[in-house]
Amino acid sequence: MFQNRAEALALALPAAVFATVVFLLPVAILLSEGFRAGGAWTLSAYTGFFSETLNRTVFLRSFRLAIEVTAVSAVIGYAAAFAIVNLPANGKGRMVGLVTLPLMISPVARTYAWIVILGRTGIVNQAITGLGFSADPLRLLFTETAVFIGLLQLFLPLMILSLISALENMPKDAIPAARVLGANWFQVFWKVVLPLTREGLVVGGTLVFTGSLTAYITPAVLGGSKVLMLETLMYQQVSVANDFVSASVIAFILIVMSFAANILLKRLATARSRR
Amino acid sequence: MSIRLFSPVVLFLLLVFLIGPFLIIIAASLSAGDTLAFPPQGLSLRWVMKVFTIESFRDSFAMSMFLAVFGTLAALVLGIPAAYALSRYRLPAAETVRTIVSLPIIVPGIIVGLALLRYLVVPFGFNITLTLFFAHAALVLPYAVRVVSASLDNLRSDIEEAAVLLGSSRLGAFFRVVMPNIRGGILAAFILGFVTSFNQVPVSLFLSGPGVRTLPIDMLGYMETTYDPSIAALSALLAFLSIGIVFLAERFLGFSRYV
């Protein structure tokens, strides 16, 4: 540990000043815009925003989808992480690599793949019409389901990776011990695995939840203007309606929800593990 | 279901879901037909070739490359000293500094882009390319600080104290003793920053002007108007680029140790 304060500040300040000037300040000013009208501080932009049905629908949809994606990715994540952890060493490495792979691919490319699959002439529709389930292709794109699938594929790897490390940090004999003592698989999961991996679940859950909440590309491409989410609505407010006050309100909601999720889930993790 | 059957089934379905779409893009991009379809109608490289002839893609690719390389370098120039200060000094307000430099990762990019457009570009006529550069550097800064901090924390601090005691200057000790030891971490931070910046969309969403567009934004625009396999081809090419970079990094650096 070096003690020289001036030296320490000289090293750290450029980065801190840079982040403050090109990031913190502009964002703070943008957020304050939603609280001001004609020079006075007011909440009118917020009451105005939530008085419109469309905005309420979009807000609830974003929140609901983020929760659904998080919940489903937790369920699939546990199943997948279990299967991967139990593989022999080299198979495990390969599977972790394959799960990590999508994270390196551009989200635009990953989202685009779903157009090829879910589009009017996509694979799913070809199968449906080909097998005679329906004469006309179904509208699969621009539905909430399409957005859900896209988001799930985008963020599932993050959940799996955090659950894998949580499962690996679990005492090796906890599960056999519980089995020997007569617990069934449901009890093993609920009473042994879940409490011991709670922190990994919380880390993965936070990443998936905030990721889904603040994703832009997937809702924009797979949902279009039919399935607006907060970010796509914000983009529209600015580029179509030139309404910066509403954009500021949405920005504030997004930031508050992300931070709240972070703090709440962190609390949850530490509170439970202290028991 | 027995555990022995359960695992392979789960893993198979998982890979179909995670990797399958990517394989389908590759197949669709090799189609000889005029419209996007799977299975591809005949095999050809015409759409892969076409990608290289589209001028706007070449321009936006160059822009994305520029931002990813220089934005990440800028983040490292700012981030390495900050990481060093955080790990080796008793820094006043260390927690505040740490929070400020890592905030860009938590705040949604679209908000940053909008804020910069509204308070930098519009009122001051600030250059868009330069603004994009700043935005990408800020976006990568948290990764730079985090990854470099991690490798500094793994390096014993007494080796540079020893160098200083033996008469080296603080700066000399950093460049001759510390730097060579955290080279891998710095390179890992660069690669992570590069991939993050190159693939990123929301920050650049509002920050485009005539002739100034990043590649993902350009692709999104193209997708809205055209329904041919060229975007599939471009997506596949980009995916191979990212995977190639990460694969090489893993081979030579053990990249995953740092991330």
Side-chain angles (χ1 to χ4, degrees), chain B residues 154-200:
Chain B
N154 285 332
L155 182 70
R156 295 168 51 129
S157 66
D158 28 0
I159 64 163
E160 68 243 46
E161 279 159 21
V164 171
L165 281 177
L166 292 170
S168 164
S169 69
R170 192 62 55 74
L171 211 59
F174 179 79
F175 280 108
R176 273 187 236 128
V177 179
V178 179
M179 247 330 220
N181 280 296
I182 59 166
R183 217 171 28 198
I186 293 175
L187 208 54
F190 180 83
I191 290 160
L192 189 65
F194 179 91
V195 174
T196 307
S197 162
F198 195 87
N199 289 334
Q200 110 66 47

Side-chain angles (χ1 to χ4, degrees), chain B residues 48-222:
Chain B
V48 179
M49 292 304 161
K50 188 180 173 211
V51 168
F52 293 97
T53 66
I54 300 175
E55 203 185 327
S56 92
F57 284 160
R58 284 208 301 257
D59 293 346
S60 54
F61 177 79
M63 173 61 80
S64 279
M65 269 294 185
F66 162 79
L67 291 173
V69 171
F70 291 100
T72 306
L73 285 179
L76 283 171
V77 168
L78 293 166
I80 294 171
Y84 190 75
L86 286 170
S87 103
R88 294 296 194 260
Y89 286 85
R90 215 175 290 283
L91 182 69
E95 263 327 293
T96 314
V97 171
R98 207 186 297 271
T99 309
I100 290 176
V101 295
S102 50
L103 268 181
I105 228 174
I106 310 177
V107 174
I110 194 173
I111 299 172
V112 182
L114 177 61
L116 290 176
L117 172 77
R118 193 138 164 77
Y119 307 112
L120 210 57
V121 177
V122 173
F124 303 111
F126 209 78
N127 182 290
I128 290 189
T129 310
L130 207 57
T131 310
L132 265 177
F133 167 74
F134 284 157
H136 278 246
L139 178 82
V140 174
L141 186 63
Y143 297 96
V145 173
R146 203 181 66 188
V147 176
V148 174
S149 288
S151 33
L152 280 171
D153 291 343
N154 285 332
L155 182 70
R156 295 168 51 129
S157 66
D158 28 0
I159 64 163
E160 68 243 46
E161 279 159 21
V164 171
L165 281 177
L166 292 170
S168 164
S169 69
R170 192 62 55 74
L171 211 59
F174 179 79
F175 280 108
R176 273 187 236 128
V177 179
V178 179
M179 247 330 220
N181 280 296
I182 59 166
R183 217 171 28 198
I186 293 175
L187 208 54
F190 180 83
I191 290 160
L192 189 65
F194 179 91
V195 174
T196 307
S197 162
F198 195 87
N199 289 334
Q200 110 66 47
V201 166
V203 166
S204 346
L205 205 58
F206 290 114
L207 300 173
S208 19
V212 185
R213 277 178 140 191
T214 65
L215 187 57
I217 302 283
D218 210 9
M219 287 167 76
L220 279 177
Y222 191 88

Side-chain angles (χ1 to χ4, degrees), chain A residues 1-2 7 11 15 22-24 30 33 98 104 106 109 112-113 123 126 153 214 216-217 221 231 235 244, chain B residues 18-19 21 24-25 36 38 81 88-90 103-104 108 110 112 116 118-119 161 170 199 201 205 232 235 242:
Chain A
M1 263 308 176
F2 299 122
E7 240 174 59
L11 288 169
V22 309
F23 175 81
L24 205 54
L30 180 74
E33 225 171 297
L98 283 172
M104 305 298 164
S106 159
Y112 186 70
I123 306 168
Q126 278 182 34
Q153 193 221 12
T214 61
Y216 172 78
I217 305 161
V221 173
E231 289 237 340
Y235 182 72
F244 288 101
Chain B
L18 287 183
I19 312 282
I24 284 169
I25 295 196
L36 188 67
F38 185 90
R88 294 296 194 260
Y89 286 85
R90 215 175 290 283
L103 268 181
I110 194 173
V112 182
L116 290 176
R118 193 138 164 77
Y119 307 112
E161 279 159 21
R170 192 62 55 74
N199 289 334
V201 166
L205 205 58
S235 299
S242 304

Side-chain angles (χ1 to χ4, degrees), chain A residues 45-261:
Chain A
Y46 285 80
T47 48
F49 180 84
F50 281 107
S51 70
E52 280 182 42
T53 322
L54 171 74
N55 293 341
R56 279 201 307 267
T57 312
V58 171
F59 172 78
L60 289 176
R61 179 190 291 138
S62 289
F63 191 64
R64 182 180 61 231
L65 264 169
I67 288 188
E68 283 169 4
V69 172
T70 310
V72 173
S73 72
V75 174
I76 303 178
Y78 266 113
F82 253 119
I84 292 172
V85 168
N86 287 323
L87 287 173
N90 61 340
K92 185 159 71 184
R94 220 167 290 151
M95 272 308 293
V96 170
L98 283 172
V99 170
T100 319
L101 185 78
L103 293 175
M104 305 298 164
I105 300 174
S106 159
V108 176
R110 293 166 70 190
T111 306
Y112 186 70
W114 292 109
I115 295 186
V116 186
I117 297 169
L118 301 174
R120 277 187 72 82
T121 55
I123 306 168
V124 175
N125 263 324
Q126 278 182 34
I128 288 174
T129 48
L131 295 172
F133 288 123
S134 161
D136 299 311
L138 304 178
R139 207 191 60 160
L140 302 167
L141 281 181
F142 312 123
T143 62
E144 210 172 299
T145 313
V147 178
F148 171 84
I149 293 173
L151 289 174
L152 186 65
Q153 193 221 12
L154 211 53
F155 296 114
L156 180 60
L158 298 174
M159 177 66 91
I160 296 179
L161 293 175
S162 23
L163 286 181
I164 287 178
S165 61
L167 283 176
E168 286 193 321
N169 288 332
M170 215 174 75
K172 284 274 165 290
D173 33 17
I175 295 177
R179 291 288 290 161
V180 167
L181 292 172
N184 63 34
W185 282 112
F186 177 77
Q187 289 168 322
V188 167
F189 179 77
W190 201 247
K191 299 216 160 130
V192 178
V193 177
L194 194 61
L196 286 174
T197 55
R198 195 164 256 133
E199 268 176 65
L201 179 65
V202 166
V203 171
T206 314
L207 291 172
V208 177
F209 180 80
T210 51
S212 309
L213 191 67
T214 61
Y216 172 78
I217 305 161
T218 305
V221 173
L222 299 179
S225 53
K226 292 242 165 47
V227 193
L228 283 175
M229 303 239 309
L230 281 172
E231 289 237 340
T232 38
L233 179 66
M234 182 176 161
Y235 182 72
Q236 280 202 351
Q237 298 286 15
V238 172
S239 61
V240 181
N242 227 357
D243 179 355
F244 288 101
V245 174
S246 292
S248 163
V249 171
I250 299 172
F252 190 75
I253 295 170
L254 284 172
I255 288 184
V256 166
M257 282 169 82
S258 306
F259 275 77

